[in-house]
Amino acid sequence: MDDVRASSAWVASHSSHVVVDSSGIEKVAETIDTIPKVNWDFEGIHYFDNGPLTVQYLFVLDALNFCFWPDKDLNYDNLAAGLKAALQNDKSVFDVDRLQKYTGPELRELLKWPRPLPLEDERVRLLHEVGFELERSFDGKASNLVESCGKSAVKLVALVTRHFPGFRDHSIYKGHQVFLYKRAQIFAADLWGAFGGQGYGEFYDIGSITIMADYIVPAVLRQLGVLKYSATLASTIEANSQIDAGSEEEVELRACSIYAVEKMKELISMKSGKQVRLKTIAWSSSN
């Protein structure tokens, strides 16, 4: 995760549209006395059987966990619960031979969704990618992928991004490569949360993962006074206009969020005398 932290810090120091307000970070850190513990599936929307099928479910879920906008009725809960129901109804639904063949309408049927999904073709492509690469390199099982990481969350993220291009969440920003790896890190965090840090969720370095910056986290940090936007970016957001993936504005929003939370974590750790880990950020930012 050093690449994620270092490249995010570089963006924050060269940003044109987003400013990380150090005084805002300090104010937020001063108000935090304890870090609340969040139960992984407090809403009851995820599949869990304490075995390899849960790992397969989570990998498919996290492959599809992006871009619910602009369908105002669709969110992460629909995706998680829809895939859970599909798996409960048919335990072979995420077998690799079926993942390799799904169509858009068939994915909608799995989720019981009445209309085309945002970026539906890309979601189908990612299902195919997961199916083919799991078969080619991991005997068709996401659990084998996890077992090959040696209980290291950092190595798991590296393996996922190496084998599955759809998880390679990085961009070129002002001539520099920026690494974000949101969904690969969410997979590690989901495993840790689902299995309670045991079995498939045991990672000795889980504290190495960063915040998984999406379009919700920057909005929260702005509300807290941690991030400040240029007038142009603020107008774009207030008008509900699209910010293109890979644009300067999009990279800055996400990378500055990572940098700001890392600085916040440092201050809270200094204040409490204890290491602060971001193991539950994935769940709050996914939902």
Side-chain angles (χ1 to χ4, degrees), residues 243-264:
I243 297 174
D244 293 333
S247 65
E248 281 195 5
E249 292 87 346
E250 191 254 4
V251 174
E252 289 178 12
L253 285 166
R254 301 180 69 203
C256 287
S257 294
I258 293 172
Y259 176 75
V261 173
E262 286 296 312
K263 290 300 179 183
M264 195 182 304

Side-chain angles (χ1 to χ4, degrees), residues 40-41 46-48 50 54 58 188-198 201 283:
W40 175 72
D41 192 31
H46 297 95
Y47 178 87
F48 183 73
N50 202 35
T54 295
L58 290 174
D190 275 345
L191 288 166
W192 186 91
F195 290 92
Q198 303 296 317
W283 314 320

Side-chain angles (χ1 to χ4, degrees), residues 67-76 78 108 113-119 123 215:
C67 190
F68 301 102
W69 185 86
D71 192 326
K72 61 183 179 62
D73 297 319
L74 180 67
N75 57 43
Y76 172 83
N78 300 118
R108 275 177 256 153
W113 199 249
R115 53 186 173 274
L117 298 158
L119 297 180
R123 283 185 156 90
Y215 49 81

Side-chain angles (χ1 to χ4, degrees), residues 5 14 48 51 92 96 139 186 199 214:
R5 290 182 172 86
H14 293 80
F48 183 73
S92 70
V96 291
D139 198 25
I186 286 178
D214 62 4

Side-chain angles (χ1 to χ4, degrees), residues 48-124:
F48 183 73
D49 67 354
N50 202 35
L53 199 54
T54 295
V55 182
Q56 196 87 351
Y57 162 81
L58 290 174
F59 196 49
V60 171
L61 170 64
D62 291 331
L64 300 177
N65 180 12
F66 63 94
C67 190
F68 301 102
W69 185 86
D71 192 326
K72 61 183 179 62
D73 297 319
L74 180 67
N75 57 43
Y76 172 83
D77 291 7
N78 300 118
L79 178 65
L83 294 177
K84 173 185 176 179
L87 187 54
Q88 288 174 326
N89 183 60
D90 180 357
K91 291 298 191 289
S92 70
V93 73
F94 299 142
D95 287 358
V96 291
D97 60 331
R98 296 184 63 178
L99 290 174
Q100 294 166 8
K101 298 174 183 176
Y102 278 121
T103 65
E106 288 170 340
L107 177 56
R108 275 177 256 153
E109 176 60 25
L110 282 184
L111 300 175
K112 302 302 180 187
W113 199 249
R115 53 186 173 274
L117 298 158
L119 297 180
E120 184 172 276
D121 289 345
E122 175 64 6
R123 283 185 156 90
V124 169

